[in-house]
Amino acid sequence: MVFKQLLRVACVASLSVLAIAVVSAFPLFEEMALTANRLAHHPTSLPSQAHALLAWVQVYKMELTLGMFLTLGVLTFALFILDREFRAHLQYKLSTSIDQRRFMITDPALLQKIRLSRIGFMIALVAIFILITVTYQSYRNQLIVQFFALGVFLFNISGTYFFGSLKRAGQMERLVNRLNLYHQNKDEAQEKLVQADKRLQRQTASLAYLASHLNKQTSSQLFYQALIKQSAETLSVARVSVWMYSADKQQLVCEALYELKTQAYTQGQVLVANDFPHYFDALKQARVVVADDVYQHSATQDFVVDYFPSQQIGALLDATIWHDDEMIGVICHEHVGPAREWTLDEQNYAGSLADLARLTVELHRRQKVETDLVEHQENFEDMLKTRTASIESNAKLFRFLVERAPVTILYMNAANEIIEMNPEAERITGYSRDYAIGRTYQSLFVPEGMTGEHEALSSDVFFGNKIQGQEMLIRRADGSTTELSISRSMELDAEGNPVIISIGQDISQQKALEASLIKAREAAESADRIKSMFVASMSHELRTPLNSIIGFLGVVLQGMSGELNVKQKDQLGRAYASSKHLLSLISDVIDISKIEAGFLETHQMTFDIKEVMHDVSHAVQHLVIERKLNLQIECPEGITLDSDRKRLYQVVLNVVSNALKYTEKGQVSVKVMPLPEQLEIVVEDTGIGIDEAGLAKLFKPFERIDSRLKIKTLGTGLGLYLTHKILTLLLGGSITVNSKVEQGSTFTMRLPYQMPEVEAGKLVNILEGQ
């Protein structure tokens, strides 16, 4: 109340001084209005207003200074009252008990009063300091100024004292609050310890009860029901369940579920891994899945849409069950209500329940194994009798197969002594079984002069190597020899002794048949070469008169035998073109026949590849003009080959002319690119292309690709075949093709810079498939 009255007095005094100053300043306000009007028309007169204001302050300096002193006095007294009140509150807070002190909070209004009083005091102190500084020269009596300065100094000292006192009181209060918070946290920690101790006692009792019921007489289902009931009551959880994995690890099947409220058990629910991927992944990665808030945990996001809202579940605690480093199930605790913080002891308790579940699984599995073992022991004698009878039966069957096998079978010991042999071995070798047993393999079957070869074979088998299909010559009882394909290996018998098993098949008839086939093949190859020589000779004889026909037709067409009419020129021109085509066909046949007969001559020389490209361009110029195409040849300077220039020209000409014939529009480009070890020539066109079926028979003789240009374009199907033969068999190169229908084809030829030597007698027949 005192503080409010002081504030009222300070406000009334300040307003009174301000009113006197305003009334006295009316003339000055009028002067300031006139000054503002003048400034609107003459802005340069601005300093006159400042002088007017300063003059007003100097006139009423005494009133303003006393008013400010009065205000400072009121505010200083207010700070004194507030300091006393704040200290009294702090003293009372310290004198009370700690429990009562926790709930004592400093009045916010008191703190607000202290803050406002500080601000007001500072403003008033600064204002009076500025006022005295501005007006001290206008006092005639400087003693007054000294009095005012002394007053400011005293107010400054008192304000500093009260500011410091209030600051120390505030620091003291913060220390008291921290002490209260420390005691509060300590009490809460003690309370948590007490609660944790109670929970541990309940959990220990629960685990002890469950451990006492863990025996062979209690079934897994009954133990699971006891476990989830104890867990629900111990942790105060609304729902607890035990889930086990299916055999394929793709499902969790509920073995038992307990509702605390209804005390009812259910089972049989199924969770599919594909429907809840996040949950199943979390189970594989953690011993215990702790979800204090199921709507925020990453592992439970698969259930937040339907299951959690419908069951009002807020928290989840799952403990996985492991057996032999494999997760077999999970125990799930579902808390109904808001989010719940699962304590560490609760998590450990859930893990202990999972261990008990694992123990009961192991117990019943061990019991099942023991039961099965007893059953196996009871049936062991019957199984042994059955097995013995089966072995005897198999032995008879094996003996039957060995005796009737169409191959020789020998059993030998480590010294190569015959232990047993089958009837086929008796028939092939001529030795009887009784005579052979006990004698060594070398003394019976190894011909003279072949002892070293047979000993090497026996040594390889002795060191563990298996012989398969080894052709060997053996001696028969009558002194003759026969050839066998022998397979031999070393095994261990029932007593662990090494036994050598040798199986042989008579291949003498097969060898005779192979020899006759070789003779037949050589005769066929000789006949094929004779045929090729005949075709080459006949083609040469055909070419001689054909050249005469072409020559005479050319003379007649040039008008040297008289003028021809249009019809005669047309008919003779067709005959001339057909003759040229026939001559080209005969030349191709001659070349192919010579290649296959091995008599095609090559002329190796060093030449510039660019000259060959120039000749090719000149030779196909009529096709370029006729079909209105663009032919581009890119060939670097200075590339030389040591090869057959004529055959290379023939190869490139065949490929380029073929590309021009099957290109309706666009261009054909030829690029010569030197590689480190080979020269590459690429012929690319924008023609009709080749499908997969056409590519399969592209380089076969007398094969032409089916296309819409087949009828318009003359050909025999020998051009590319001959090109392939010359490149691969004579020039040592290769040719490949890539093509897309209606987009074009790319032929890539590669040949070495140095032509290899051609070896006759290794060429294929023209009618063979490529």
Side-chain angles (χ1 to χ4, degrees), residues 627 658-659 661-664 687-691 693-694 697-698 703-714 739 741-742 745:
R627 295 180 176 272
N658 190 69
K661 291 176 182 178
Y662 288 94
T663 300
E664 296 176 307
I688 60 175
I690 309 170
D691 57 13
K697 58 183 181 179
L698 186 62
E703 293 283 356
R704 298 190 65 200
I705 306 304
D706 294 329
S707 66
R708 61 176 181 271
L709 300 180
K710 183 176 182 181
I711 299 176
K712 298 180 181 180
T713 304
L714 297 177
S739 182
V741 179
E742 301 301 333
S745 304

Side-chain angles (χ1 to χ4, degrees), residues 521 524-525 528 531 592 596 699-703 721 724-725 729 762-770:
R521 186 182 64 184
E525 290 176 351
D528 185 61
K531 180 267 300 178
I592 293 173
E596 293 181 345
F699 295 111
K700 292 183 179 180
F702 304 111
E703 293 283 356
Y721 172 71
H724 181 266
K725 287 290 186 183
L729 300 180
K762 292 188 178 181
L763 307 179
V764 295
N765 188 279
I766 190 173
L767 298 179
E768 289 183 359
Q770 303 298 313

Side-chain angles (χ1 to χ4, degrees), residues 267-396:
Q267 64 179 18
Q269 298 88 336
V270 176
L271 293 179
V272 181
N274 293 334
D275 296 337
F276 309 97
H278 297 89
Y279 180 67
F280 275 75
D281 290 342
L283 292 179
K284 296 176 183 178
Q285 298 173 4
R287 165 68 168 159
V288 179
V289 177
V290 182
D292 296 336
D293 187 350
V294 295
Y295 294 95
Q296 303 297 327
H297 201 279
S298 59
T300 57
Q301 294 305 304
D302 299 325
F303 303 95
V304 298
V305 177
D306 298 324
Y307 183 69
F308 288 158
S310 62
Q311 301 296 328
Q312 299 179 351
I313 295 173
L316 194 72
L317 177 62
D318 288 0
T320 53
I321 305 171
W322 293 77
H323 182 262
D324 292 339
D325 296 329
E326 180 184 15
M327 188 172 64
I328 60 174
V330 60
I331 300 177
C332 181
H333 301 80
E334 302 174 27
H335 171 71
V336 174
R340 168 177 174 174
E341 181 180 358
W342 300 101
T343 61
L344 183 60
D345 59 273
E346 292 174 337
Q347 299 176 27
N348 293 332
Y349 175 72
S352 300
L353 293 178
D355 292 336
L356 288 176
R358 174 182 58 81
L359 289 175
T360 190
V361 171
E362 291 180 350
L363 181 65
H364 288 87
R365 287 186 179 182
R366 187 181 298 111
Q367 182 181 7
K368 185 177 183 304
V369 170
E370 292 175 356
T371 304
D372 293 341
L373 182 60
V374 171
E375 293 178 357
H376 283 299
Q377 289 176 346
E378 292 175 353
N379 299 327
F380 180 74
E381 293 182 359
D382 295 337
M383 293 173 60
L384 182 60
K385 292 179 180 179
T386 304
R387 183 62 177 170
T388 303
S390 176
I391 292 174
E392 293 176 354
S393 176
N394 290 338
K396 292 180 181 179

